[in-house]
Amino acid sequence: AQRVTQPEKLLSVFKGAPVELKCNYSYSGSPELFWYVQYSRQRLQLLLRHISRESIKGFTADLNKGETSFHLKKPFAQEEDSAMYYCALSGHGNQFYFGTGTSLTVIP
Amino acid sequence: DTAVSQTPKYLVTQMGNDKSIKCEQNLGHDTMYWYKQDSKKFLKIMFSYNNKELIINETVPNRFSPKSPDKAHLNLHINSLELGDSAVYFCASSQSRLTNTGELFFGEGSRLTVL
Protein backbone atom coordinates (compact mmCIF):
# COMPACT_ATOMS: atom_id res chain seq x y z
CA ALA A 1 0.00 0.00 0.00
CA GLN A 2 1.29 3.42 -0.95
CA ARG A 3 2.04 5.13 2.31
CA VAL A 4 3.48 8.36 0.97
CA THR A 5 2.21 10.16 -2.11
CA GLN A 6 3.85 13.06 -3.87
CA PRO A 7 1.54 13.95 -6.74
CA GLU A 8 3.98 16.19 -8.59
CA LYS A 9 7.00 14.60 -10.22
CA LEU A 10 8.21 17.90 -11.63
CA LEU A 11 7.69 21.41 -10.34
CA SER A 12 9.08 24.61 -11.79
CA VAL A 13 8.81 28.02 -10.19
CA PHE A 14 10.46 31.37 -10.80
CA LYS A 15 13.01 32.73 -8.39
CA GLY A 16 11.29 34.70 -5.66
CA ALA A 17 7.96 32.95 -6.14
CA PRO A 18 6.36 30.85 -3.42
CA VAL A 19 6.76 27.13 -3.68
CA GLU A 20 4.76 24.26 -2.24
CA LEU A 21 5.63 20.61 -2.62
CA LYS A 22 2.73 18.37 -1.79
CA CYS A 23 2.86 15.24 0.31
CA ASN A 24 0.02 13.05 1.52
CA TYR A 25 0.37 9.97 3.64
CA SER A 26 -1.57 6.93 4.69
CA TYR A 27 -0.70 5.22 7.95
CA SER A 28 -2.51 3.93 10.99
CA GLY A 29 -1.15 5.14 14.27
CA SER A 30 1.13 8.11 14.70
CA PRO A 31 3.84 8.29 12.07
CA GLU A 32 6.69 10.69 11.97
CA LEU A 33 7.00 12.73 8.80
CA PHE A 34 10.13 14.10 7.17
CA TRP A 35 11.37 15.88 4.12
CA TYR A 36 14.63 14.78 2.57
CA VAL A 37 16.48 16.63 -0.15
CA GLN A 38 18.98 15.51 -2.75
CA TYR A 39 20.95 18.29 -4.40
CA SER A 40 22.71 17.61 -7.66
CA ARG A 41 25.52 15.09 -7.18
CA GLN A 42 25.05 15.00 -3.42
CA ARG A 43 23.69 12.40 -1.07
CA LEU A 44 20.20 12.45 0.31
CA GLN A 45 20.00 14.47 3.49
CA LEU A 46 17.37 15.38 6.00
CA LEU A 47 15.77 18.76 5.42
CA LEU A 48 13.27 18.86 8.25
CA ARG A 49 11.03 16.73 10.42
CA HIS A 50 7.56 17.47 11.68
CA ILE A 51 8.31 16.96 15.36
CA SER A 52 10.90 19.71 15.32
CA ARG A 53 8.52 22.31 13.90
CA GLU A 54 11.50 24.25 12.63
CA SER A 55 12.31 26.22 9.52
CA ILE A 56 15.32 25.06 7.55
CA LYS A 57 16.66 27.11 4.65
CA GLY A 58 13.39 28.99 4.71
CA PHE A 59 11.33 25.82 4.30
CA THR A 60 8.53 24.84 6.66
CA ALA A 61 6.14 21.92 6.73
CA ASP A 62 3.08 21.50 8.88
CA LEU A 63 1.59 18.13 9.65
CA ASN A 64 -2.15 18.21 8.99
CA LYS A 65 -3.58 15.04 10.50
CA GLY A 66 -7.08 15.79 9.28
CA GLU A 67 -5.94 15.96 5.67
CA THR A 68 -3.07 13.51 6.25
CA SER A 69 -0.73 15.94 4.56
CA PHE A 70 2.74 17.28 5.15
CA HIS A 71 3.29 19.86 2.44
CA LEU A 72 6.64 21.62 2.17
CA LYS A 73 6.51 25.36 1.68
CA LYS A 74 8.83 28.27 1.10
CA PRO A 75 7.63 31.83 0.53
CA PHE A 76 10.44 32.89 -1.80
CA ALA A 77 12.23 30.24 -3.86
CA GLN A 78 15.95 30.55 -4.54
CA GLU A 79 17.97 29.01 -7.34
CA GLU A 80 19.89 26.88 -4.86
CA ASP A 81 16.63 25.23 -3.86
CA SER A 82 16.60 23.32 -7.13
CA ALA A 83 16.83 19.68 -6.09
CA MET A 84 14.94 16.44 -5.67
CA TYR A 85 12.67 16.44 -2.63
CA TYR A 86 11.36 13.33 -0.96
CA CYS A 87 8.65 13.15 1.63
CA ALA A 88 9.19 10.27 4.05
CA LEU A 89 7.27 8.52 6.76
CA SER A 90 8.69 6.62 9.69
CA GLY A 91 6.50 3.95 11.17
CA HIS A 92 6.90 1.02 13.50
CA GLY A 93 10.23 -0.69 13.85
CA ASN A 94 12.39 1.93 12.17
CA GLN A 95 10.64 1.54 8.84
CA PHE A 96 11.12 4.51 6.58
CA TYR A 97 8.97 4.88 3.48
CA PHE A 98 9.63 7.47 0.83
CA GLY A 99 7.38 9.13 -1.67
CA THR A 100 8.26 9.08 -5.34
CA GLY A 101 9.95 12.44 -5.11
CA THR A 102 9.40 15.86 -6.65
CA SER A 103 12.05 17.47 -8.78
CA LEU A 104 12.02 21.20 -8.11
CA THR A 105 13.52 23.60 -10.60
CA VAL A 106 13.82 27.26 -9.70
CA ILE A 107 14.03 29.38 -12.82
CA PRO A 108 16.31 32.45 -12.57
CA ASP B 1 35.34 10.86 8.78
CA THR B 2 32.51 9.99 6.41
CA ALA B 3 29.45 8.80 8.33
CA VAL B 4 28.08 6.29 5.82
CA SER B 5 30.40 5.12 3.09
CA GLN B 6 29.69 2.88 0.14
CA THR B 7 32.00 1.20 -2.29
CA PRO B 8 32.22 1.21 -5.19
CA LYS B 9 30.62 4.49 -6.31
CA TYR B 10 30.37 3.28 -9.87
CA LEU B 11 30.05 -0.23 -11.14
CA VAL B 12 29.69 -1.27 -14.78
CA THR B 13 29.27 -4.94 -15.50
CA GLN B 14 27.82 -7.44 -17.91
CA MET B 15 24.53 -9.28 -17.57
CA GLY B 16 24.84 -12.52 -15.69
CA ASN B 17 27.73 -11.42 -13.51
CA ASP B 18 27.74 -11.39 -9.71
CA LYS B 19 28.69 -8.21 -7.89
CA SER B 20 28.78 -6.80 -4.39
CA ILE B 21 28.37 -3.34 -2.92
CA LYS B 22 29.76 -2.64 0.51
CA CYS B 23 28.49 -0.24 3.12
CA GLU B 24 29.96 0.87 6.40
CA GLN B 25 28.75 3.37 8.98
CA ASN B 26 30.75 4.84 11.84
CA LEU B 27 27.84 6.50 13.61
CA GLY B 28 27.23 3.73 16.08
CA HIS B 29 23.78 3.14 14.63
CA ASP B 30 22.22 -0.26 14.94
CA THR B 31 19.88 -0.15 11.96
CA MET B 32 21.03 -0.15 8.36
CA TYR B 33 19.15 -0.10 5.08
CA TRP B 34 19.50 -0.59 1.37
CA TYR B 35 17.42 1.56 -0.97
CA LYS B 36 17.16 1.40 -4.75
CA GLN B 37 16.72 4.57 -6.80
CA ASP B 38 15.66 3.85 -10.34
CA SER B 39 15.99 5.99 -13.46
CA LYS B 40 12.81 7.87 -12.55
CA LYS B 41 14.30 8.72 -9.16
CA PHE B 42 11.85 6.48 -7.32
CA LEU B 43 13.40 5.53 -3.99
CA LYS B 44 12.36 2.14 -2.73
CA ILE B 45 13.46 0.28 0.37
CA MET B 46 14.94 -3.14 -0.24
CA PHE B 47 16.26 -4.37 3.09
CA SER B 48 16.65 -3.25 6.65
CA TYR B 49 18.85 -4.81 9.32
CA ASN B 50 18.74 -4.12 13.02
CA ASN B 51 21.70 -5.37 15.02
CA LYS B 52 22.61 -7.77 12.21
CA GLU B 53 19.06 -9.13 12.07
CA LEU B 54 16.90 -8.77 8.97
CA ILE B 55 13.75 -6.80 9.81
CA ILE B 56 12.55 -5.62 6.42
CA ASN B 57 12.71 -7.56 3.21
CA GLU B 58 10.56 -5.98 0.58
CA THR B 59 9.67 -7.77 -2.61
CA VAL B 60 13.16 -8.18 -3.90
CA PRO B 61 14.36 -11.04 -6.14
CA ASN B 62 16.30 -13.77 -4.43
CA ARG B 63 19.27 -12.76 -6.52
CA PHE B 64 19.76 -9.96 -4.01
CA SER B 65 21.27 -11.10 -0.74
CA PRO B 66 22.21 -8.69 2.03
CA LYS B 67 24.88 -9.65 4.51
CA SER B 68 25.58 -7.96 7.80
CA PRO B 69 28.76 -9.22 9.45
CA ASP B 70 28.34 -6.70 12.26
CA LYS B 71 26.06 -3.79 12.94
CA ALA B 72 28.43 -1.31 11.31
CA HIS B 73 28.38 -3.11 7.97
CA LEU B 74 25.66 -4.09 5.53
CA ASN B 75 26.77 -5.44 2.20
CA LEU B 76 24.62 -6.17 -0.82
CA HIS B 77 25.43 -9.07 -3.08
CA ILE B 78 23.67 -9.45 -6.41
CA ASN B 79 23.76 -12.66 -8.42
CA SER B 80 23.07 -13.08 -12.11
CA LEU B 81 22.74 -9.39 -12.81
CA GLU B 82 19.97 -8.26 -15.16
CA LEU B 83 19.49 -5.08 -17.16
CA GLY B 84 16.72 -4.00 -14.81
CA ASP B 85 19.12 -3.99 -11.90
CA SER B 86 20.72 -0.85 -13.27
CA ALA B 87 20.07 1.83 -10.66
CA VAL B 88 21.66 3.80 -7.88
CA TYR B 89 21.78 1.85 -4.65
CA PHE B 90 21.83 3.81 -1.44
CA CYS B 91 22.90 2.55 1.93
CA ALA B 92 21.57 4.31 5.01
CA SER B 93 21.63 3.99 8.76
CA SER B 94 19.61 5.20 11.71
CA GLN B 95 19.54 4.87 15.45
CA SER B 96 17.23 2.31 17.03
CA ARG B 97 13.59 3.07 17.56
CA LEU B 98 14.02 3.53 21.30
CA THR B 99 16.15 6.60 20.82
CA ASN B 100 15.16 7.35 17.28
CA THR B 101 15.96 10.86 16.16
CA GLY B 102 14.08 10.06 13.03
CA GLU B 103 17.00 10.76 10.78
CA LEU B 104 18.35 8.48 8.12
CA PHE B 105 21.96 9.06 7.18
CA PHE B 106 22.66 8.13 3.60
CA GLY B 107 25.75 7.08 1.75
CA GLU B 108 26.66 8.74 -1.53
CA GLY B 109 25.13 5.95 -3.54
CA SER B 110 26.54 3.30 -5.84
CA ARG B 111 25.59 3.61 -9.47
CA LEU B 112 25.27 0.17 -11.02
CA THR B 113 25.09 -0.15 -14.78
CA VAL B 114 24.38 -3.54 -16.28
CA LEU B 115 25.22 -3.90 -19.96
Side-chain angles (χ1 to χ4, degrees):
Chain A
Q2 183 68 37
R3 292 181 174 85
V4 182
T5 304
Q6 292 180 250
E8 303 139 330
K9 293 183 181 179
L10 302 170
L11 183 63
S12 295
V13 299
F14 285 100
K15 178 182 175 181
V19 60
E20 181 180 49
L21 290 85
K22 292 184 168 52
C23 173
N24 287 89
Y25 68 91
S26 171
Y27 194 81
S28 60
S30 298
E32 295 178 36
L33 276 296
F34 310 87
W35 277 98
Y36 281 78
V37 61
Q38 186 179 27
Y39 299 105
S40 179
R41 304 190 184 196
Q42 293 188 29
R43 67 184 72 200
L44 273 153
Q45 57 188 288
L46 178 68
L47 180 62
L48 52 79
R49 68 196 80 179
H50 90 268
I51 58 174
S52 299
R53 302 181 67 81
E54 56 195 348
S55 173
I56 303 293
K57 298 183 179 181
F59 285 97
T60 59
D62 292 320
L63 179 63
N64 186 323
K65 293 185 178 179
E67 295 181 358
T68 59
S69 69
F70 188 57
H71 304 326
L72 183 68
K73 300 177 184 178
K74 184 169 183 177
F76 308 104
Q78 302 299 315
E79 289 180 63
E80 56 265 30
D81 296 329
S82 294
M84 193 75 182
Y85 291 81
Y86 291 93
C87 183
L89 176 154
S90 174
H92 302 298
N94 261 23
Q95 298 181 29
F96 284 85
Y97 297 95
F98 286 81
T100 49
T102 298
S103 177
L104 174 66
T105 301
V106 179
I107 304 166
Chain B
D1 59 347
T2 303
V4 182
S5 59
Q6 301 177 224
T7 55
K9 289 185 179 180
Y10 301 96
L11 186 54
V12 181
T13 188
Q14 299 285 334
M15 280 177 54
N17 285 350
D18 304 338
K19 291 294 178 185
S20 292
I21 307 172
K22 296 184 177 181
C23 179
E24 175 182 5
Q25 54 94 4
N26 61 7
L27 296 166
H29 291 163
D30 45 21
T31 305
M32 294 184 72
Y33 311 77
W34 276 108
Y35 284 87
K36 179 180 180 181
Q37 186 182 48
D38 63 21
S39 58
K40 296 182 180 179
K41 301 291 188 181
F42 293 167
L43 194 62
K44 186 175 180 181
I45 189 167
M46 300 175 67
F47 301 102
S48 173
Y49 269 73
N50 182 270
N51 275 322
K52 302 192 300 175
E53 181 180 344
L54 180 65
I55 56 173
I56 294 175
N57 182 355
E58 295 292 310
T59 308
V60 177
N62 291 335
R63 300 181 293 103
F64 290 79
S65 54
K67 285 186 172 56
S68 182
D70 54 62
K71 73 174 190 177
H73 296 83
L74 180 61
N75 304 323
L76 183 65
H77 189 75
I78 315 170
N79 290 325
S80 304
L81 280 157
E82 300 177 358
L83 293 176
D85 298 332
S86 295
V88 180
Y89 293 85
F90 285 98
C91 178
S93 73
S94 70
Q95 190 52 286
S96 71
R97 191 62 184 172
L98 292 176
T99 58
N100 190 15
T101 63
E103 183 170 0
L104 278 176
F105 289 82
F106 282 88
E108 290 183 308
S110 297
R111 181 176 294 276
L112 171 64
T113 302
V114 182
L115 303 176

